[in-house]
Amino acid sequence: MKKKILLKIFMLFLCVSNFIGCDKNNELEDKQEIVKMYISHETSTYIPLGSSKPIKCLLVKEEGEREYSRLPFEGITGFIYEYGHEYIIKVEKSINIHTHANAVRTKYRLIEILEDKTINTSPQWDILIDESNDYEIDISSRYLGIQGWWCIANPPRIYVGAVFPKNTFATSFDKEIMEKKKSINLYFNFQDPYITYLDDARLNKYLKKMKDAISSKEYEKHRFPNRPYIAKLAELKNLNDLWYCIDDNDDFAKTLIEVGKQDLDLKDIESLCVGKVVHKNFTVSMDTPENGLFIETPSNLNELVFVRSLTYGTSAYFLIASRFNYQEVLSALKGPYLEEKQREEVLKESQIILLTVTDIRQTANISKSFNELQNYLNNPFTNEPTFAYGYPIFCQGQYAKDNSLYIKH
């Protein structure tokens, strides 16, 4: 009797084990399902496999999950994330089992955006001066590097008359269209204008014309402006807010965050802020090609944009950590709103990291002095003849097909 009972128990155990085993096998099968996903307005960073460099990513969670997890920006096919937006989306979730690699791969594909809400938590610039125009595309921070850090400047090969596909214009500026172009006139808006003739619109020819212009008597009489073209500050909750303030150059933003962590004492501070100052020098522009820019029309003419003008200048970026509140720091910097003694006290109890970019190499020099900031504001252009004109801070583009203005979205 006991043997029969033990045998029945053993057979029942086998049945249960088989049932669980079957269930586990079913779980290891590829499957697809429709899920609701929540995407945070905040982002995070992760280090890709095989890399030591962190990059930004999404924070997401599926319906029913309590915690957000990291997902690359390209992790949802068909979905384009916009900073400062919070989303609820419907996605197709595909789970693929790689039995040989003993790994599970999950893919998401956007089906529908159910909700798109703007969350205004990013730092807001306090504009002190802004004389820029809507048709100018700001490229003043896009290609910058920092002296002595791994953040290397990558200035593009751009010049007035250069032509690019619209999908690289004012971004990577690559895939330049090299078909031969008609001759153009170049206009330098010095106080006494300088005009020259470019018979072959190529970079080496353009740089020669730039050298001639800088050596001209018109440029010798040119007066460098000492009033900033742009001056603005923004209060930061923490250093990571710099991602929002310098959103067109991830390497530059990340390195400035690391510089701040290394060189600022953030204990017992009342405020943290970032500032940007841009000085405009002069603009080089070309005449509008009435009968087209090319000698032989390219087949993809409708997709091409040419550089109509480049504005040269210099820029400065700075971080300030202070024992005074943000409004007091702002007042101490922007004008005679505090008594001199009070202003000196504010600056004395504040720390600064200053990055200045003054030449075509687009590599920022670092200093830690408010005197250096004042020196830059007093003399934003170096005395070196080769680099005195700065670097491209704004560009303007026009479509090659009809000379209409290119608007960067």
Side-chain angles (χ1 to χ4, degrees):
M1 177 65 75
K2 289 183 179 180
K3 288 183 179 181
K4 288 183 179 181
I5 292 174
L6 289 174
L7 180 61
K8 288 181 180 180
I9 292 173
F10 179 71
M11 293 299 294
L12 178 61
F13 173 78
L14 287 178
C15 289
V16 172
S17 298
N18 288 334
F19 175 79
I20 294 174
C22 290
D23 188 57
K24 287 184 177 178
N25 288 335
N26 289 336
E27 287 183 355
L28 293 176
E29 292 179 354
D30 293 353
K31 64 179 181 179
Q32 290 182 340
E33 59 180 327
I34 306 300
V35 299
K36 185 185 290 186
M37 178 178 283
Y38 298 83
I39 302 177
S40 173
H41 65 278
E42 296 181 336
T43 59
S44 184
T45 60
Y46 78 107
I47 299 177
L49 186 64
S51 173
S52 60
K53 179 181 174 182
I55 61 175
K56 286 190 286 185
C57 64
L58 300 172
L59 286 173
V60 306
K61 64 180 179 181
E62 296 180 19
E63 187 174 25
E65 294 179 339
R66 298 182 61 183
E67 302 294 333
Y68 283 98
S69 57
R70 295 175 176 84
L71 184 70
F73 279 111
E74 65 277 10
I76 306 173
T77 303
F79 176 71
I80 299 176
Y81 176 79
E82 187 172 350
Y83 284 97
H85 285 234
E86 183 177 86
Y87 299 89
I88 302 175
I89 62 176
K90 183 191 295 184
V91 296
E92 178 187 78
K93 178 181 179 182
S94 301
I95 299 177
N96 298 314
I97 309 300
H98 298 268
T99 54
H100 297 293
N102 194 28
V104 178
R105 184 179 181 185
T106 303
K107 295 181 179 180
Y108 297 100
R109 181 180 65 83
L110 178 68
I111 297 175
E112 181 183 359
I113 296 178
L114 303 175
E115 187 175 318
D116 178 357
K117 184 188 301 182
T118 302
I119 309 296
N120 191 15
T121 60
S122 59
Q124 300 298 304
W125 288 107
D126 286 304
I127 307 298
L128 308 183
I129 302 172
D130 190 349
E131 299 178 356
S132 60
N133 302 304
D134 291 339
Y135 61 82
E136 294 177 322
I137 300 173
D138 189 344
I139 56 174
S140 59
S141 61
R142 180 173 288 275
Y143 309 103
L144 301 184
I146 301 178
Q147 181 73 34
W149 288 74
W150 56 263
C151 180
I152 308 300
N154 60 337
R157 293 167 57 86
I158 56 174
Y159 56 96
V160 176
V163 184
F164 303 92
K166 68 178 182 181
N167 64 341
T168 73
F169 192 89
T171 53
S172 59
F173 277 118
D174 62 354
K175 302 178 182 177
E176 181 186 353
I177 306 304
M178 301 303 295
E179 275 82 349
K180 190 170 178 59
K181 299 183 279 288
K182 299 175 183 177
S183 58
I184 60 175
N185 290 319
L186 295 177
Y187 302 87
F188 293 72
N189 70 337
F190 307 149
Q191 279 80 15
D192 186 2
Y194 178 86
I195 303 174
T196 188
Y197 181 76
L198 190 60
D199 61 350
D200 186 8
R202 296 184 184 277
L203 179 61
N204 60 335
K205 300 283 187 178
Y206 176 82
L207 293 178
K208 175 64 169 59
K209 296 296 183 180
M210 285 288 294
K211 185 176 180 180
D212 292 343
I214 300 303
S215 303
S216 68
K217 61 181 181 181
E218 289 86 350
Y219 189 70
E220 186 178 345
K221 294 185 291 184
H222 178 64
R223 297 184 303 276
F224 292 121
N226 54 19
R227 173 183 166 84
Y229 194 56
I230 293 174
K232 55 186 182 180
L233 284 87
E235 185 175 16
L236 308 176
K237 296 190 298 292
N238 52 62
L239 286 172
N240 287 329
D241 276 350
L242 284 169
W243 289 117
Y244 297 98
C245 299
I246 309 173
D247 60 0
D248 61 350
N249 189 334
D250 283 355
D251 284 348
F252 189 71
K254 175 185 177 298
T255 306
L256 186 51
I257 291 171
E258 293 302 317
V259 174
K261 289 179 179 178
Q262 173 178 292
D263 293 342
L264 291 177
D265 182 0
L266 300 178
K267 297 177 182 178
D268 301 322
I269 64 169
E270 182 68 23
S271 66
L272 179 67
C273 68
V274 60
K276 177 177 180 178
V277 179
V278 176
H279 278 84
K280 178 181 180 180
N281 190 2
F282 62 83
T283 298
V284 184
S285 59
M286 60 175 279
D287 48 359
T288 300
E290 294 182 1
N291 299 311
L293 183 59
F294 294 98
I295 293 177
E296 294 184 7
T297 305
S299 59
N300 60 337
L301 184 68
N302 290 346
E303 299 297 312
L304 303 183
V305 180
F306 67 90
V307 180
R308 173 67 192 281
S309 70
L310 285 175
T311 297
Y312 292 84
T314 67
S315 65
Y317 301 81
F318 52 87
L319 288 172
I320 296 177
S322 179
R323 292 188 178 182
F324 286 81
N325 65 47
Y326 171 68
Q327 289 301 324
E328 290 173 310
V329 173
L330 182 63
S331 297
L333 292 174
K334 73 178 183 179
Y337 303 108
L338 294 177
E339 295 180 0
E340 187 64 31
K341 184 177 180 180
Q342 187 178 359
R343 182 183 296 109
E344 289 180 1
E345 184 181 358
V346 171
L347 299 184
K348 184 179 179 180
E349 294 296 324
S350 302
Q351 311 161 62
I352 185 172
I353 294 174
L354 172 66
L355 282 70
T356 53
V357 190
T358 58
D359 62 55
I360 57 175
R361 292 168 295 194
Q362 299 199 36
T363 298
N365 293 313
I366 301 180
S367 58
K368 303 173 187 177
S369 164
F370 284 99
N371 287 335
E372 289 299 321
L373 175 59
Q374 189 62 57
N375 289 340
Y376 168 77
L377 295 174
N378 292 339
N379 182 24
F381 298 94
T382 66
N383 295 321
E384 302 174 67
T386 306
F387 303 129
Y389 55 86
Y391 70 96
I393 55 174
F394 292 98
C395 71
Q396 180 189 348
Q398 291 183 195
Y399 283 98
K401 62 180 179 180
D402 58 6
N403 297 322
S404 59
L405 184 66
Y406 170 80
I407 305 295
K408 188 175 183 299
H409 298 289

